[in-house]
Amino acid sequence: MLHATQIWFFDASKQAFAGLTVHWLNIAIAEFLTHGGDSSDLKSDECDFYFVNFVIDVVVGVSITYLLLEVVQMLAEKYDIPSLRTGEYGDPPKINVWLLQLSIFMAITVVIKFALFLTEMNLRYYLDLWGYTMFQSADPYPKVKLVFVMVLAPFLLNSVQFWLTDYLLMSDKPVKEEADDKIASQSFTLGNSDCADVEERDY
C-alpha cells in the first residue's frame, strides 16, 4: 500500500511541476504575443492568447509529449535502462529514479513549449483572429472574461490534460505483473495436472 502511494505521488508530482511550469510560461507567452514585436494590428488581449495557448497545449503539446515519451521508452527497452521506464521507480520506489524521470519530463515540457512558442509567433495573426473571435463578446465584461479564462477554462482543460498525461505516465507494470501471474497460474495448473496424471498411472 505504501509503495502504491509513493508511485502515485511521484506520478502526480511530475504533472504538478509540469503544470505549474506550463502555466507561467503561458502567461509569459501571452504577454509577448500581445505586446512583443509589431503588435499594433492585434486585437486580442493577454486573456485571449492565454486561452489559445492552453488549447494548443492540450491538443498539440500532449500529442508530442506522448511521442517523445515513447522514444524514451524505446531507448529504455533497447539499452535495458529500468530507471527510464516511465512510472517505474524501483522496488522500493527510489527518489533518485523519480528525479531522473522528472528531469526528463520537464525537459520535454520546456522543449515543446519553446517549439510551440516559435510556431505561434509565426502564426500570431491567425491566433489573434481565433482568440478575438471567441472572446470579443466578453470584452465589455473583463472580470467575467478573466474568471472564465484564468479559472474555469484552465480547470476543465487541466482536467483533460492531466487525465491524458496521467495515462501516458502510468506504468504498464501492473499489466505485466498480471500477465506473469496468469502464466504462473497456468504453469501451476499444468503442474498439478501432470501430478494427477502420474498419480492415476501409479494407481
Side-chain angles (χ1 to χ4, degrees), residues 3 5 8 61-62 65 82-83 85 88 97 106 117 127 153-155 159 175 178 180 190-191 203:
H3 288 180
T5 302
W8 175 86
V62 173
T65 299
S83 57
R85 293 175 184 149
E88 294 188 19
V97 177
M106 291 297 295
F117 167 66
L127 299 180
F155 175 78
S159 298
V175 176
E178 183 179 347
D180 293 340
L190 290 174
Y203 179 77

Side-chain angles (χ1 to χ4, degrees), residues 77-96:
E77 295 298 326
K78 182 177 180 179
Y79 297 103
D80 191 22
I81 309 176
S83 57
L84 291 183
R85 293 175 184 149
T86 303
E88 294 188 19
Y89 308 100
D91 188 15
K94 299 177 178 63
I95 193 169
N96 60 319

